[in-house]
Amino acid sequence: MILRKSWFWGGAALVLGLALGWSLAGPVAVFGQNPTLPGVAKGPQLSLSPVPVSDAKLKVFAQALALIEEQYPEPKTTKDLVYGAIQGTLGTLDPHSAFMTPEEFRELQIETKGQFSGIGIEIALKDRVLTVVSPIEGTPAYQAGMKPGDQIVKINGTPTKNITLIEAVKLIRGPKGSKVTLTINREGFQQPKDIVITREIIPIRSVKARILDDGIGYIRVTHFQDKTDNDLQAHIKNMKQRLVPFKGLILDLRNDPGGLLDQAVRVSDEFLNSGLIVYTEGRNRNQNMRFYARAGQERKVANVPMVVLINEGSASASEIVAGALKDQKRALIVGTKSFGKGSVQTIIPLEDGSALRLTTALYFTPSGVTINEKGIHPDVVVEDKPLPTDKSAQKLRDELLSQHMRREGLTDKPWNQPITSEELDKDPQLKRAVELLRQWPPKNLAKQPAPKT
């Protein structure tokens, strides 16, 4: 029997010691020990049924495999063919079931663990050049003096021309205590310089925060990994001390693609004193679980007025949180309809280090509504700013990247530096959330159109 820890996974921004976009669609179940939250059901225990080797269908598969190996004009390894066959099989199921190579599975484990061994920089390909977006404060890269905009022209003497982000990550990451030499080109340098950096354990932060002068806190969750609840609690504790009185809280789940189920439950639990958070139903009885909020925890902010921001990029675990807080009438949901990722994927490791991400159940909000392909409908619909007609999506991404490199993004500034009116004017959804909290309790909200199913 193989034990699997239930994860909800909707994808995530994978900070590979650096930052690299990574998308895995859907809530996920992961392996290892099951979540042990008071009042929370344990994760599923699944058994693998042995498949008879003599099965006629497997004989057909083996025959096809042998023919390809013998007759195809270009040699193919058995491993490549088997992996391709598995990928093809899962591709006939649903958009969220998939096969992960050993390398992809390792990256998933690193991401959800919440830390990795590296140097602590975010990187991107800017104009096809490997470029530092930002060194993470306090990390070896930061202490070594790396700066936003630095171009990495070599890694341990290997030129980075035409390198991919994944290839760069492999070269830069390594065991704690080992060294990596980066050859850096920077504006003002007469010639590239070598910087030798000792790798350390780098935490992945999935929670960022800011405040407003009038007692309102803002928390953004980028994805749900192992330490999300701890990071959230730390920011809430700081806000309670700084914001007296604590008049309102905005939880920003926009473009949050999901993550671990137990973290979605724990985050929801921070704002609820009781009640059902989410439940799952699958073909296997062990996939049927119910998750409840816990009562009597002083650190909670269960009574502070609250708005949750969502958009079409909010999926999976973020939809669980938004759905729970909406159904329990704990928060007002503002923005646009969420993605609609309501199926549970179980991550099942295979013998060679690869893994299956297999859909095993659907999840439901407390009111019994399935999110799958329907999404969470906001209480207050606020569209984001439309893409300017004179700008392509790529140009807009380049501008946002440059803004981030200049540390001008909303969450690039210190958490205790108040959000300005100019910043609010650039974000109509956030601005509306602030207006609602300043006028709390909300009155005379325009009636929203009934959701289409």
Side-chain angles (χ1 to χ4, degrees):
M1 179 179 292
I2 298 177
L3 298 182
R4 300 155 175 82
K5 174 183 176 181
S6 284
W7 295 357
F8 274 95
W9 189 254
L14 183 57
V15 183
L16 300 166
L18 322 117
L20 176 61
W22 186 259
S23 181
L24 298 174
V28 180
V30 188
F31 322 91
Q33 292 300 94
N34 293 307
T36 54
L37 299 177
V40 175
K42 290 184 177 181
Q45 296 185 11
L46 305 179
S47 59
L48 295 181
S49 302
V51 179
V53 178
S54 59
D55 189 289
K57 296 181 182 63
L58 287 183
K59 286 184 178 180
V60 172
F61 173 72
Q63 183 181 25
L65 208 64
L67 286 169
I68 294 170
E69 287 181 319
E70 293 172 5
Q71 304 295 330
Y72 192 71
E74 296 178 6
K76 295 290 183 180
T77 66
T78 302
K79 177 182 176 181
D80 288 340
L81 294 175
V82 170
Y83 277 12
I86 297 172
Q87 290 168 339
T89 300
L90 290 167
T92 67
L93 303 179
D94 66 278
H96 309 298
S97 294
F99 173 74
M100 288 183 284
T101 64
E103 180 181 76
E104 292 169 338
F105 184 35
R106 283 193 297 271
E107 297 296 353
L108 174 63
Q109 292 172 306
I110 289 169
E111 180 183 352
T112 54
K113 187 178 180 182
Q115 63 180 29
F116 59 88
S117 178
I119 64 172
I121 55 174
E122 298 179 38
I123 60 171
L125 290 173
K126 186 178 182 183
D127 299 325
R128 299 184 180 181
V129 178
L130 191 64
T131 304
V132 176
V133 176
S134 176
I136 301 171
E137 190 171 348
T139 63
Y142 184 88
Q143 294 166 353
M146 296 196 71
K147 298 181 180 298
D150 282 352
Q151 295 179 335
I152 303 174
V153 296
K154 291 182 182 179
I155 304 171
N156 287 331
T158 301
T160 60
K161 185 178 181 180
N162 298 323
I163 198 170
T164 67
L165 285 177
I166 289 179
E167 290 169 342
V169 165
K170 285 182 180 178
L171 293 172
I172 295 176
R173 267 206 320 228
K176 176 184 177 182
S178 62
K179 297 180 185 298
V180 60
T181 301
L182 302 182
T183 305
I184 301 298
N185 197 16
R186 181 184 299 168
E187 186 176 352
F189 280 7
Q190 296 298 318
Q191 60 183 17
K193 296 182 180 180
D194 288 345
I195 298 179
V196 180
I197 305 176
T198 301
R199 300 176 176 104
E200 292 291 341
I201 299 300
I202 310 297
I204 302 173
R205 302 297 183 194
S206 62
V207 183
K208 301 178 181 181
R210 292 282 298 278
I211 59 171
L212 283 89
D213 276 331
D214 49 0
I216 296 174
Y218 167 85
I219 293 178
R220 165 140 174 74
V221 179
T222 59
H223 61 287
F224 292 79
Q225 43 99 324
D226 267 349
K227 302 182 186 301
T228 297
D229 61 329
N230 293 331
D231 292 344
L232 176 69
Q233 290 165 11
H235 281 300
I236 289 174
K237 180 180 179 181
N238 289 335
M239 285 182 177
K240 283 182 174 180
Q241 294 172 350
R242 174 67 183 265
L243 303 177
V244 182
F246 196 169
K247 295 182 179 179
L249 178 65
I250 298 167
L251 180 64
D252 191 346
L253 300 178
R254 291 175 296 179
N255 299 316
D256 180 334
L260 300 176
L261 166 60
D262 70 321
Q263 288 297 315
V265 171
R266 288 176 186 270
V267 168
S268 301
D269 187 43
E270 289 298 316
F271 309 110
L272 296 168
N273 277 323
S274 62
L276 183 64
I277 292 173
V278 67
Y279 68 93
T280 66
E281 291 183 353
R283 208 170 92 187
N284 188 318
R285 268 191 320 181
N286 291 326
Q287 293 286 349
N288 299 337
M289 299 177 289
R290 302 179 77 84
F291 300 85
Y292 293 90
R294 299 167 289 177
Q297 297 193 49
E298 293 182 1
R299 69 171 186 274
K300 290 189 177 187
V301 284
N303 298 315
V304 175
M306 188 173 177
V307 170
V308 176
L309 293 176
I310 62 171
N311 65 3
E312 61 277 3
S314 306
S316 184
S318 56
E319 291 177 293
I320 289 174
V321 175
L325 298 181
K326 179 180 181 179
D327 281 5
Q328 298 289 3
K329 302 189 184 307
R330 171 65 187 88
L332 202 64
I333 312 300
V334 172
T336 55
K337 184 175 76 70
S338 65
F339 182 81
K341 178 64 196 70
S343 58
V344 183
Q345 280 68 53
T346 300
I347 303 295
I348 309 169
L350 303 177
E351 290 183 0
D352 68 345
S354 61
L356 298 184
R357 187 172 74 249
L358 183 65
T359 298
T360 54
L362 296 178
Y363 68 82
F364 300 82
T365 69
S367 62
V369 175
T370 177
I371 299 168
N372 205 39
E373 299 183 357
K374 296 181 179 179
I376 299 294
H377 291 261
D379 300 302
V380 180
V381 176
V382 181
E383 297 290 342
D384 198 1
K385 282 187 175 180
L387 183 68
T389 56
D390 61 335
K391 291 183 182 178
S392 66
Q394 182 60 50
K395 186 174 182 180
L396 185 61
R397 283 194 292 269
D398 290 342
E399 288 182 359
L400 291 174
L401 177 61
S402 297
Q403 182 186 60
H404 183 36
M405 292 171 68
R406 296 193 302 269
R407 310 293 292 174
E408 295 176 356
L410 187 64
T411 55
D412 290 328
K413 299 176 182 177
W415 77 270
N416 55 0
Q417 182 174 334
I419 296 173
T420 65
S421 57
E422 291 78 9
E423 288 176 309
L424 289 179
D425 287 338
K426 295 177 183 178
D427 189 336
Q429 294 170 331
L430 177 59
K431 184 176 183 178
R432 181 63 174 136
V434 171
E435 291 171 349
L436 288 166
L437 287 172
R438 286 173 175 167
Q439 302 165 7
W440 202 268
K443 299 175 182 178
N444 302 321
L445 288 176
K447 186 176 180 181
Q448 301 303 314
K452 297 178 181 180
T453 58

